[in-house]
Amino acid sequence: MFNFNISRIDPYNFLLASLFVLSIMASKGVFVSMGRVEIGFYFLFLFFWGIRSEGILGPMLVFLFGLIQDALTGSALGTWPLVFSLFFALSSSQKQIIRQAKGGAFVFIFLILVGISYGLMLIICVLFYRGEADLWGLFLSFSLTAMSIPFLGLLMQRVLPIDGDKREGL
Amino acid sequence: MAGSSGRFNNRKTILNAAGIALVSVAISVLVLLFIPKNDPAVAQFRQAVNQAVLPFIRILNLPGQAVDSGLDRLQGYQSLKFENSQLKSELEQLRDVEARLIRQELLGERYRQLLSMPLDDDISFVGARVVADTSSAFARTVLADVGLSQGVLVGQAVMGARGFVGRVVTVGTQTSRILLSTDFNSHIPVVVGSKRARGILTGGNDNQPRLEFLPKNAGVEVNDTVLTSGDGGQIPAGLLVGFLDENGLVRLAQDPSELHVVRIVSARQPEPPEGVIGLPRDLQN
């Protein structure tokens, strides 16, 4: 059922994975930090990575990077792996639809996925943090992400070939 | 035939990434449910990750630092003349203040001798740079680039340029995580105003912490100074935290979002009593 061939690594996916990690790290830098509010650039890279990823290494790395994000932010272990993995699973499972989508439809799908991820964060806040979390900050982050990133997504859709069917691995 | 096989293969490969990701989702839920947030092993894992990731964050900070210092320099040149005249007048005022302080110090010393009062705790500082702002919707923490090697210990108070900002919660050899006073898990004993009403400063994961357990007739007023009380012995007394605002919240003296350099305060810990005298044998163990 699962494809364990990780010998061939797609350079585009490697680039997306690197950008994903970079965006997580950059959001922690004190000189670029926006405090409690952040633009979720990592969702953009995760989205394209999810569309293109074929092997098992991608989702495993996403899980690992989620754990690193948990360690960095001091949140309960499992919080960010859950958010990232679900986002990755959704974009990966809907890749056929996403690949055929153009312009507005592409932005719409992306917004739905980001909305689901922030909705999941909200549920985690309520269930696991019992109101400790900064819901207003979460809402602002979602608004900023929803406003700014889809346009970058459209740009990336033009620049990056999103057909990764023949590639395997990362 | 080839087409249908291709479609099947395609379907199979879609299951690969998405399937594994869904397994990850299930594992994440289990981890979230069954691994406690404050487990010591989790704290160790966090510290190890912080230690490993720190060099990368430092590198990523370099362009930001360059822009920041460039802007600072530009602003510095612009306001140099104005600052110079302002500093001259401030210097005059400070000379007066200095003279008054010397008088007060002499007076204080005389009273201390009369009352045989012990001196305040020995306080020393370790300077540190904040290298990562790890705050998120779920927690308010920052990472500093000093750790056990520099004598930093868990529980020590942390000061910004203008006042108290939080305390150290985990320490590695070269890094330490600082829990900001705005974090939900932060509870700092404080005294408020000239009547020194005691309360607990509690964060709420927003910008302003609130005061809890203040006595009903505490007699506190807007703009009263909030200082650390020193209760518990870990955080020294008298560190400026902020000022009480009209909503009963504390306006922090040091804005945690503008934290680039901190001082970690190391105070002499009060020693526990050597022997327990007068207690029944059962309670002595």
Side-chain angles (χ1 to χ4, degrees):
Chain A
M1 181 182 174
F2 296 122
N3 176 10
F4 286 91
N5 182 3
I6 57 170
S7 57
R8 293 166 63 190
I9 290 177
D10 173 12
Y12 286 112
N13 282 0
F14 182 76
L15 176 72
L16 285 168
S18 308
L19 287 170
F20 173 64
V21 176
L22 202 68
S23 60
I24 290 178
M25 299 293 168
S27 68
K28 305 288 165 277
V30 281
F31 292 93
V32 289
S33 171
M34 294 160 70
R36 64 196 183 124
V37 181
E38 63 178 6
I39 300 176
F41 284 110
Y42 36 76
F43 283 124
L44 183 67
F45 305 122
L46 203 56
F47 181 69
F48 282 96
W49 190 9
I51 297 170
R52 297 178 51 84
S53 188
E54 304 295 335
I56 63 161
L57 193 58
M60 283 166 72
L61 282 176
V62 168
F63 181 81
L64 183 74
F65 294 145
L67 279 181
I68 292 173
Q69 171 84 331
D70 275 344
L72 282 174
T73 57
S75 19
L77 281 194
T79 306
W80 287 103
L82 178 57
V83 174
F84 288 160
S85 295
L86 186 74
F87 189 88
F88 191 87
L90 287 173
S91 46
S92 190
S93 62
Q94 302 304 315
K95 63 174 76 173
Q96 301 293 19
I97 301 169
I98 296 167
R99 279 174 187 163
Q100 284 156 15
K102 300 271 180 247
F106 184 84
V107 169
F108 182 68
I109 293 169
F110 181 75
L111 279 179
I112 287 179
L113 295 190
V114 170
I116 290 172
S117 299
Y118 276 96
L120 177 66
M121 282 193 229
L122 189 70
I123 292 169
I124 294 171
C125 284
V126 174
L127 290 182
F128 294 97
Y129 292 81
R130 295 189 196 88
E132 296 172 25
D134 177 11
L135 300 180
W136 180 239
L138 205 62
F139 174 73
L140 285 177
S141 298
F142 168 66
S143 307
L144 279 175
T145 306
M147 278 191 290
S148 55
I149 287 193
F151 302 102
L152 285 173
L154 275 178
L155 192 73
M156 274 182 75
Q157 191 195 21
R158 284 171 189 273
V159 174
L160 195 76
I162 56 173
D163 183 9
D165 267 352
K166 293 182 178 64
R167 298 182 174 91
E168 291 177 351
L170 193 66
Chain B
M1 186 73 187
S4 71
S5 162
R7 267 202 301 276
F8 177 72
N9 282 338
N10 205 13
R11 196 182 185 85
K12 217 168 63 168
T13 50
I14 285 171
L15 270 178
N16 275 340
I20 292 285
L22 282 175
V23 172
S24 303
V25 168
I27 295 171
S28 307
V29 172
L30 291 176
V31 169
L32 202 53
L33 281 174
F34 294 110
I35 297 185
K37 195 178 163 189
N38 300 321
D39 193 90
V42 174
Q44 274 182 343
F45 167 71
R46 282 194 186 125
Q47 206 52 53
V49 170
N50 292 340
Q51 202 95 5
V53 163
L54 193 69
F56 300 104
I57 294 179
R58 270 192 184 141
I59 292 167
L60 286 172
N61 266 337
L62 287 177
Q65 271 175 327
V67 172
D68 202 46
S69 63
L71 284 174
D72 273 356
R73 216 170 292 155
L74 205 67
Q75 283 171 344
Y77 287 132
Q78 281 176 343
S79 58
L80 210 60
K81 202 173 172 184
F82 172 72
E83 271 181 19
N84 194 28
S85 63
Q86 204 177 18
L87 283 172
K88 273 181 184 168
S89 68
E90 275 180 18
L91 188 67
E92 289 302 315
Q93 288 172 351
L94 282 174
R95 277 188 183 136
D96 275 357
V97 174
E98 189 191 15
R100 261 184 286 151
L101 275 176
I102 289 169
R103 277 200 300 275
Q104 293 289 338
E105 198 177 335
L106 289 170
L107 200 62
E109 183 59 33
R110 203 177 300 161
Y111 288 150
R112 199 176 288 128
Q113 281 170 358
L114 281 171
L115 294 167
S116 302
M117 284 276 286
L119 283 170
D120 288 345
D121 291 343
D122 295 333
I123 292 178
S124 59
F125 298 97
V126 177
R129 274 193 315 135
V130 174
V131 283
D133 181 350
T134 55
S135 297
S136 70
F138 308 108
R140 291 275 182 280
T141 58
V142 292
L143 274 185
D145 65 348
V146 290
L148 285 169
S149 318
Q150 288 80 21
V152 176
L153 298 171
V154 170
Q156 285 179 337
V158 182
M159 301 280 291
R162 296 185 203 96
F164 176 83
V165 285
R167 64 191 165 86
V168 177
V169 280
T170 54
V171 188
T173 47
Q174 292 294 334
T175 57
S176 43
R177 181 184 289 277
I178 297 161
L179 185 80
L180 299 175
S181 54
T182 47
D183 187 280
F184 188 84
N185 292 308
S186 172
H187 305 281
I188 308 293
V190 290
V191 288
V192 186
S194 54
K195 292 181 180 167
R196 298 184 65 80
R198 284 173 190 272
I200 301 287
L201 183 83
T202 304
N205 276 356
D206 43 23
N207 289 340
Q208 286 186 286
R210 62 187 183 280
L211 283 171
E212 288 184 344
F213 305 112
L214 267 184
K216 271 187 181 170
N217 302 317
V220 293
E221 290 171 10
V222 174
N223 284 331
D224 267 358
T225 314
V226 181
L227 305 170
T228 55
S229 71
D231 292 343
Q234 272 195 324
I235 296 171
L239 305 180
L240 176 65
V241 176
F243 307 93
L244 201 63
D245 76 0
E246 54 277 3
N247 301 317
L249 299 171
V250 177
R251 194 174 63 250
L252 293 171
Q254 172 65 55
D255 183 356
S257 63
E258 292 174 0
L259 212 56
H260 290 182
V261 180
V262 290
R263 286 178 302 161
I264 296 174
V265 184
S266 164
R268 186 172 54 83
Q269 299 290 315
E271 287 177 15
E274 280 177 9
V276 186
I277 302 162
L279 278 177
R281 190 175 291 170
D282 293 349
L283 293 176
Q284 284 185 18
N285 296 320

